[in-house]
Amino acid sequence: DVVMTQFPLSLPVTLGQPASISCRSSQSLVYSDGNIYLNWFQQRPGQSPRRLLYKISNRDSGVPDRFSGSGSGTDFTLKISRVEAEDVGVYYCMQGTHWPYTFGPGTRVDIK
Amino acid sequence: EVQLVESGGGLVQPGGSLRLSCEASGFTFNNYWMHWVRQAPGKGLVWVSRISGDGSSTAYADSVQGRFIISRDNARNTVSLQMTTLRAEDSAVYYCVRGGIDYWGQGALVTVSS
């Protein structure tokens, strides 16, 4: 199985400041169609996961533009340009290229 | 509006069985793969199973292979997960997820305990 790692696992941030989460896969996530199926999810306390970004950098409908994604091959990054209180939660990267799909361990974002 | 509503969770003894169902609405159901993903209390997300839009193709995580069966009824817009020989480590919230991994249900809690 593809192993997804994330860094850091805990991220205390100051409101209004930027935040960045790294995600690395144990093998290339380039699918046979040329796409990279790397998604980012947010899970707020007590809620189901919500997809924020798909195929590295495409924002889902309703996702604020302060969220952005980048990366290629095996290294990816989620950035929040200015953290707001509603951004508190756990963020997961997930690869959908190889079965079984696998998630990173999650990065807990909270406010300092 | 896309909605996924799980049902069937509960408390079951080790070795027992349980059937989860997920009713979908707001999209053309048979056009999508459907998945089950679980999350043990305080833990991360783990893929369990998936089924193709016409039900002809299925796949399972190694941890549930041979014990869980995924199925769907496209006439009723439902996907089900039949779970047998349940173990304590199967205790989790089980999420129904639309293919594309874009929409998630609210989850169904399964607790395996004597």
Side-chain angles (χ1 to χ4, degrees), chain A residues 1-23:
Chain A
D1 297 1
V2 176
V3 177
M4 305 297 289
T5 55
Q6 289 182 231
F7 180 83
L9 298 182
S10 179
L11 184 57
V13 295
T14 301
L15 288 173
Q17 293 301 301
S20 180
I21 300 170
S22 296
C23 172

Side-chain angles (χ1 to χ4, degrees), chain A residues 43 48 51 92 99 101 103, chain B residues 39 45 47 50 95 100 105:
Chain A
Q43 188 173 31
S48 302
R51 195 176 72 176
Y92 297 93
W99 180 257
Y101 302 157
F103 292 88
Chain B
Q39 185 173 36
L45 300 164
W47 231 277
R50 67 175 183 179
Y95 294 101

Side-chain angles (χ1 to χ4, degrees), chain A:
Chain A
D1 297 1
V2 176
V3 177
M4 305 297 289
T5 55
Q6 289 182 231
F7 180 83
L9 298 182
S10 179
L11 184 57
V13 295
T14 301
L15 288 173
Q17 293 301 301
S20 180
I21 300 170
S22 296
C23 172
R24 177 170 292 176
S25 59
S26 61
Q27 58 185 274
S28 172
L29 298 186
V30 180
Y31 190 58
S32 54
D33 62 6
N35 287 308
I36 293 178
Y37 293 96
L38 186 284
N39 299 334
W40 287 96
F41 294 86
Q42 174 195 61
Q43 188 173 31
R44 290 171 172 153
Q47 295 187 11
S48 302
R50 166 201 184 194
R51 195 176 72 176
L52 298 176
L53 302 168
Y54 60 96
K55 289 193 285 185
I56 303 176
S57 60
N58 297 275
R59 270 189 303 276
D60 275 278
S61 175
V63 174
D65 61 7
R66 64 178 181 274
F67 290 94
S68 64
S70 62
S72 62
T74 60
D75 287 283
F76 307 93
T77 302
L78 170 70
K79 291 184 179 178
I80 310 174
S81 59
R82 294 172 305 280
V83 172
E84 298 189 5
E86 66 179 17
D87 299 335
V88 166
V90 181
Y91 291 78
Y92 297 93
C93 60
M94 182 224 93
Q95 67 83 19
T97 296
H98 306 283
W99 180 257
Y101 302 157
T102 46
F103 292 88
T107 294
R108 185 173 300 277
V109 173
D110 59 17
I111 305 301
K112 283 183 182 176

